[in-house]
């Protein structure tokens, strides 16, 4: 099992191999038109270990409406899978600010807030 699949399964608690690519999830998704990957394609890429799915727009466009899970004949809850992919992206330890360059006379609460929001 590739690391991406095992991480998504660990975070979501879902069995992605249950999916047989019927497409019912994507057919009923109200946000599908805004997505760069359809929900069933997301599952396929995770199973293949294709890490491009972590940088896709789809998990961030997902409205968490649970429609896909309700329609799925295999009870795969894609809402949880989208959440897992967002978590993986957020945990990539990317620092968007350099703490050593932040002015030292900033209020402490601003420093704590910036550290939480903009560092990995
Ligand atoms: S509805 Fe379920 S089985 Fe069908 S493609 Fe979507 S996740 Fe897979
Ligand atoms: S939970 Fe997300 S992926 Fe599923 S139907 Fe709703 S918007 Fe689409």
């Amino acid at each position: 099992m590739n690391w991406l699949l095992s991480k998504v399964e660990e975070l979501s608690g879902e069995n992605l191999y249950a999916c047989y690519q019927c497409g019912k999830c994507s057919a009923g998704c109200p946000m599908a038109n805004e997505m760069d990957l359809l929900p069933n394609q997301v599952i396929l890429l995770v199973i293949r270990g294709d890490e491009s799915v972590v940088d896709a727009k789809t998990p961030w466009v997902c409205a968490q409406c649970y429609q896909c899970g309700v329609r799925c004949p295999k009870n795969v809850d894609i809402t949880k899978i989208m959440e897992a992919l967002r978590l993986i992206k957020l945990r990539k330890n990317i620092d968007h600010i350099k703490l050593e360059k932040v002015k030292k006379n900033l209020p402490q609460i601003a420093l704590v807030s910036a550290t939480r929001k903009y560092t990995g």
Side-chain angles (χ1 to χ4, degrees), residues 25 28-32 35 39 58 61-69 78-79 82:
C25 49
C29 174
M31 300 304 291
M35 292 174 169
T58 291
V61 169
C62 169
Q64 300 287 105
C65 70
Y66 293 97
Q67 175 85 302
C68 46
I78 301 183
T79 314
M82 297 292 183

